[in-house]
Amino acid sequence: MTSLTPGKYAEEISNKAFQEGILNGAFALIPSYGAVWAAMKNQKFVKATNWQSRTALVIMPALFTFAYTAEMKLSHQMKQMASDREHVRESTEWAERKHAEQKRQLEKSKESTKQSRSAEEEITLLYRQSVENSGVRVVPKLGMHHRIANFWQENPIKVLACMAAPAVAYIFYGRSGQQHLQLQMKVMHTRVMGQFTVLTMLLTLMGFKHYMDSNGKFITEDDAQQRVFDMQERRKGLLERLQVEKELKNQLNQRMAQAHEEDLAKNKNSTSLLKKAAKREEAALIRTEKLESHAM
């Protein structure tokens, strides 16, 4: 099971955002080109524009769509990555607390029966439960309907745009065949029926998105195991970091204790030297007093 490093993960997110921008830019290029091609049939438009402005009218909407959708995709992926990391951290802490609580309960009850699972297996099971309770639905394999549902949940505006634009265009095309209607009436009919159609689609899309948000997106068994593996790696890194910090703290305490002992030894040596000097001075004074007494 492969695990992406942060650098490779960020690179993959950038590539996905670029691909998303290219795809949406290509889609936007089709209607902009069609609009300019249709406008070329109008002599007023041909006289009012040159080839540079016409090229800009074709390219600029696609470039704007590319930049906007790529930025939105990148922002969404970065928020998703931050959310996943936060979930992994919280799940790790929750699993550790749960395991410690179960361990205390087992110690208090003093059960004599042996546990069938080791501590690591229990923590892995808790991680698995945390993933399943994190708002996802685990399936053996993602089918086409699962992928459509996930895309629908993550990109409701794109789905609405892809469905609403052809629908409104079809409504206008249906009105264009009615020769007895003026252009203003055709536009009015298209607007009224288009609004009703778009609102109906919007309510349907938001209802399905709410359903997906409540029940969770679909992920495969491999994705679930990958999340459990990421939690285990994070826990392992946390334990190693705590062990390193503990060793550094013990080394620091040892250095401080050694320095304290050296200071005490120095103080003891200086005290003994002072005592010896005081004794020598006292002995010299005694000899001096004796010599003075003999001289008298």
Side-chain angles (χ1 to χ4, degrees):
M1 185 179 298
T2 59
S3 178
L4 293 176
T5 61
K8 291 184 178 179
Y9 194 29
E11 183 179 355
E12 183 182 2
I13 290 176
S14 300
N15 292 334
K16 288 183 178 179
F18 179 77
Q19 294 174 2
E20 185 79 11
I22 288 292
L23 182 62
N24 288 276
F27 285 150
L29 188 64
I30 297 174
S32 63
Y33 176 79
V36 173
W37 178 79
M40 288 293 293
K41 296 181 180 180
N42 190 340
Q43 294 299 324
K44 293 182 179 180
F45 177 80
V46 175
K47 293 179 180 179
T49 58
N50 53 19
W51 67 272
Q52 293 94 339
S53 58
R54 297 165 198 161
T55 304
L57 288 174
V58 174
I59 295 177
M60 291 308 296
L63 291 178
F64 171 77
T65 304
F66 164 75
Y68 178 76
T69 55
E71 181 66 23
M72 293 298 295
K73 181 69 174 180
L74 182 62
S75 177
H76 173 74
Q77 289 291 332
M78 294 302 291
K79 290 180 181 179
Q80 184 69 27
M81 183 174 66
S83 177
D84 291 342
R85 289 182 177 178
E86 183 68 17
H87 174 259
V88 169
R89 184 184 64 82
E90 293 177 355
S91 299
T92 302
E93 294 176 355
W94 174 81
E96 292 291 340
R97 290 195 301 267
K98 195 73 174 178
H99 177 65
E101 182 180 352
Q102 291 180 354
K103 188 176 181 181
R104 287 194 298 268
Q105 291 177 356
L106 289 174
E107 290 178 353
K108 289 180 181 179
S109 61
K110 295 181 180 180
E111 296 178 351
S112 59
T113 58
K114 295 182 179 180
Q115 299 298 321
S116 60
R117 293 188 299 268
S118 64
E120 292 296 330
E121 292 175 346
E122 291 179 0
I123 292 177
T124 302
L125 180 61
L126 291 174
Y127 286 162
R128 175 71 183 197
Q129 294 177 356
S130 175
V131 171
E132 293 177 352
N133 296 330
S134 63
V136 297
R137 285 178 283 182
V138 182
V139 294
K141 184 179 179 181
L142 285 181
M144 183 58 65
H145 60 290
H146 295 140
R147 298 179 186 274
I148 293 175
N150 289 341
F151 182 82
W152 196 322
Q153 179 191 12
E154 296 176 356
N155 306 280
I157 303 301
K158 293 180 181 179
V159 176
L160 178 62
C162 293
M163 295 175 62
V168 174
Y170 180 77
I171 293 172
F172 181 77
Y173 176 77
R175 294 297 173 272
S176 63
Q178 300 177 1
Q179 301 297 332
H180 64 282
L181 294 177
Q182 297 180 357
L183 179 61
Q184 295 178 352
M185 294 302 297
K186 294 177 182 179
V187 173
M188 181 65 68
H189 289 179
T190 302
R191 184 178 69 84
V192 174
M193 298 185 65
Q195 287 179 347
F196 175 76
T197 304
V198 171
L199 287 176
T200 304
M201 291 180 178
L202 179 62
L203 292 176
T204 304
L205 288 171
M206 291 299 103
F208 185 77
K209 185 179 186 304
H210 178 71
Y211 165 76
M212 289 294 296
D213 291 339
S214 301
N215 294 274
K217 64 184 296 186
F218 295 100
I219 63 173
T220 61
E221 186 69 27
D222 293 337
D223 293 334
Q225 292 296 332
Q226 180 65 41
R227 294 190 180 187
V228 173
F229 177 76
D230 292 339
M231 293 179 187
Q232 291 175 339
E233 289 296 316
R234 184 174 289 273
R235 175 177 176 269
K236 182 179 178 181
L238 178 62
L239 294 177
E240 290 178 354
R241 186 167 64 252
L242 291 175
Q243 183 65 26
V244 171
E245 291 178 355
K246 183 178 180 181
E247 293 178 356
L248 292 175
K249 186 177 180 181
N250 291 334
Q251 292 178 3
L252 180 61
N253 292 334
Q254 291 177 0
R255 292 196 194 100
M256 292 179 65
Q258 185 178 359
H260 182 65
E261 292 177 357
E262 291 177 356
D263 291 339
L264 291 177
K266 290 180 180 179
N267 292 332
K268 185 176 181 181
N269 292 333
S270 61
T271 303
S272 60
L273 291 175
L274 290 174
K275 288 182 178 180
K276 289 180 180 179
K279 288 181 180 180
R280 286 196 298 269
E281 291 180 356
E282 185 179 357
L285 289 174
I286 292 173
R287 287 196 300 270
T288 303
E289 290 177 357
K290 287 182 179 180
L291 291 174
E292 289 179 355
S293 62
H294 286 305
M296 291 177 63

